[in-house]
Amino acid sequence: MAVAARQVVASPVLVGRDDSLALLAGHLEEAVAGRGRLVLVAGEAGIGKTRLIGSLARRAAGDGVVVVHASAFPDDAPSPGAVLLDLASGLARAAPPDVAELGRALARRLREEAPDSGDRHRRRRLTVQDLTDALLAVPASRPVLLTLDDLHWADELSLDVLAHLAVGLGSRPLLIVCGLRSDELYPGTAVRQWRSRLVAQRLADELPLGRLDAEQTATVVSALLRRPAPRDVTAVIHARSDGIPLHVEELLGAAAADLTGTDAAAGLATMSVPDTLADAVLARTAGVDVGTRRVMEAAVVIGRSFDVGLLTAVTGDAHAVVDAAVRHLHDLSVVGPTADPRTLDFRHALLRDVLYGAVPPTRRRDLHERVARAAAALGSPDSVVSAHFERAGLPGETFTYARRAGREAATTSAHRDALTLYRRAWRHRPADLAVPEQARLLAALADEAAATDDNQAAAEAYSQAQVLWTSVGDLAAAADVVPRLVAASHLLGEPLPQRAARLNEALLDLEGVPGADGPRGRLLAALAAAHMLARHLDKAIGYAEQSRVLAAGCGDADTATDATTTLGTVLVFAGDPTGWDLLEEAVPRSVARRHEAEAARGYRMVGTSASVLVEYPRAERWLTQGIAYAEAVQLGNHRSYMLAHLAHVHWALGRWDQAQEEAARALADGRGGVTTRITAQYVRGYVALGRGDWRAADDLLSGALKDGESMDELQRVSPPLWGLAEAAALQGAAERSATLCERAFAESAAVADAAYLFPFLLTGVRAHLAFQDTDGAADWAARLVPVLTERGIAGTLPAVEHADGLLALARGDVASALGTLRSARDRWAALGRWWEGQWAALDLARCLLAQAGRTGAGEAAGIARAVGDRASAVGSAPLAEAAARVLAAAEGPVDRAPWHPLSAREHRVATLVAAGLTNRQIAAELVVAPKTVSAHVEHIPTKLGMSRRTQIAAWVSRLVA
């Protein structure tokens, strides 16, 4: 009796997955107890993800758990909610009525129109939240297992809902297990970013599956053949399958198809194993009759999963003919049933891919047209219909369905889905499509590209749309696209002069054009924002005020709010406190109008401006509220950026552990983009330099500076520059510190900036004083102080007093220095600026020690002890060491080695440096590793307040003398 192919192909046992199955079973037990979880089963195609998940599902069903299955399919990605619709169908078919009702509720919500109140983002957010709530309505007494296969093909809306589900699963009897191909997580895809975010935030567990080894492959082969397999046979199959279970099954299935019960043992030794999976699949299906082949070809063109009714409509055959063909394919283990009795699945997507590739091209195009027309008649999604028309080579129909599907996806802010569909529509646009229609399609495509951070594509499409509208004389429409073009160009690094020229040229084009106040107001608002980002404050104020007038006149509330937010930001950076009122009033207006993106931008601008301008209580309050708001309305970019700035505030307030944790979270979130990365990196760099971790500080601050330079904006470049300058000064590299300060001054001077300049005043003064250049320090202060005082930003002015005190002390004017430094210390403390405040306290202590007769030694010692305690609390080694030196001086002479503050070993290294030996020669002399010597040579100048080896030699000479 011949061994049936179907029996040979599917392995009766699960091999090499015991640990994985046990881990999933543990998650299932937790879910039954009311502690649900999202689990990702990841691996390459054919590795056995579906088989493993199916084993868990069978175990769960046996334990009384409700099991519901859904899948994503290759054409699902551009279809918003496609996976959820499949899931809703599965839930609706579930036996328990309450679970079935949950599925029907989900299906109803998916088919409803999104709420029309508020902006487009809000409509999308409410849709996601409603769908999430529907799925979380699992009865507390009814544990449910949802298995979602092939999630690498999932649409953006479904992924968003799953991400929100993951947050609420911990208190639900709901386990969600998703299979996805790890080899298809391509950069920039929605599923890659989704997976990275969930795993990084520990909202999902990932279970990777590996290939079978030779022994495991032999076990599968023997189980399939139901007898021990010869070693040479299993070796060939393992080599050709690469240990991928599906390949093992298919190769063996083709090789063993002709074995008989009487001569099977002898035939095993001579059977021929196909070279590839494709060879195996084609060999196994080569003998099907003409009718079955016709049905099979139609099925593979429909897709991985196919509806029998659609299949019958496409083939045009009688139901009996189709049923017979399907049974034959089932016996060959090509297709199998699903939970829905109306549909069938190919046993694996790779199997379907092989058979699809074998359909002759002409026949394939004909079938795609048949599928498209039948699917459209049956009400299939426009995105799916358009994909089939595209493969059929019918551009007109492809365009019609793709454009309509793109609009549907854009309505729910499914940006990646909409972009894919709009691109399909653009590729297949009719030759006679009216120019305005072409321009509208390009602008819509560009909007979705910008929303997915494909700024190059957005800029190109916006530019094309502008040209097209201009060509037909619609100057208002052409001008209206320019602000969005400029926003994309800015993120591509286009300098301000070019961006401003685009906007001004568009304004000129609108002269004399009636009814164009709306576009004019948006152009002016964009000019204001562009100049604000570059800190061209006066220009930004003028443009913002003009924009507000025009926007108010034509009832454009969004532009009016946008311009007001920009104006408020510019005013506070210009030293005008009335800007805070504008900023803080704009936010509740946007919230009241339910314009969530604009409200989140308002929170962001208030909080981050206060963060920079040393308004820390205001910053902490607005950033904390803004982060909560952005989290609630699901605007991850704004949330991450504000979190990075909150980390900056907490660094400034001396809460370094908190700052470090917040900056790390902002970076890990992955949704903030380059501006979040820059801010979080330099905050972490500030913490590192404050703790004396010089290597980490240099890596973080240099990385932030490199990113900032690509954007060519002062607010991105200046903060990491200050960190590098301060770190250099603390390490004794005074000349490098001064050079970095000079660069920063040039950057700020170009726009008369004070907000980012003020920290450099003190760093530069200290750098010059470190190499006894009092005149240079005074000159540095003389250049910066007028800028700071002219702007008059309250949080920056203590730097002026502090610098005056340092210069007075350097000149020996102790009396003047004493009062000035005491005032600077108190003012820094009142502002909460911890770093400068501690150094001002130590500067005051040094000044007290310089008084005649050391009358201030007691107070100096008390200050030094307090600073040392605070430095120890945050882990600031440089500050603690400086405090210890002041304390030692305040407490008078003590018995100590003449080479203090160096250790005996450091003194020996310094002596050899003075003798002219290289680091390698010193290592040989002391019999230590060269890197140990390098570490000593790095620490010695820091302790001595020096920067060069020649200064160390001079110090040694003075010590000997």
Side-chain angles (χ1 to χ4, degrees), residues 374-399:
L378 292 171
S380 294
D382 290 339
S383 57
V384 173
V385 174
S386 73
H388 283 291
F389 273 128
E390 182 177 42
R391 291 171 190 148
L394 298 172
E397 290 88 341
T398 302
F399 169 79

Side-chain angles (χ1 to χ4, degrees), residues 359-369 391-392:
V359 179
T362 303
R363 167 74 171 153
R364 197 185 306 157
R365 285 194 297 272
D366 176 64
L367 284 170
H368 274 299
E369 180 180 359
R391 291 171 190 148

Side-chain angles (χ1 to χ4, degrees), residues 579-592:
W580 293 118
D581 295 333
L582 290 176
L583 283 168
E584 294 177 349
E585 290 167 2
V587 174
R589 282 201 299 271
S590 295
V591 172

Side-chain angles (χ1 to χ4, degrees), residues 762-798:
L762 292 170
T763 303
V765 166
R766 291 187 192 281
H768 285 284
L769 292 178
F771 45 85
Q772 289 79 48
D773 184 8
T774 305
D775 290 341
D779 177 66
W780 174 252
R783 293 156 64 198
L784 269 67
V785 167
V787 179
L788 301 185
T789 54
E790 181 179 353
R791 284 296 184 197
I793 300 170
T796 69
L797 296 180

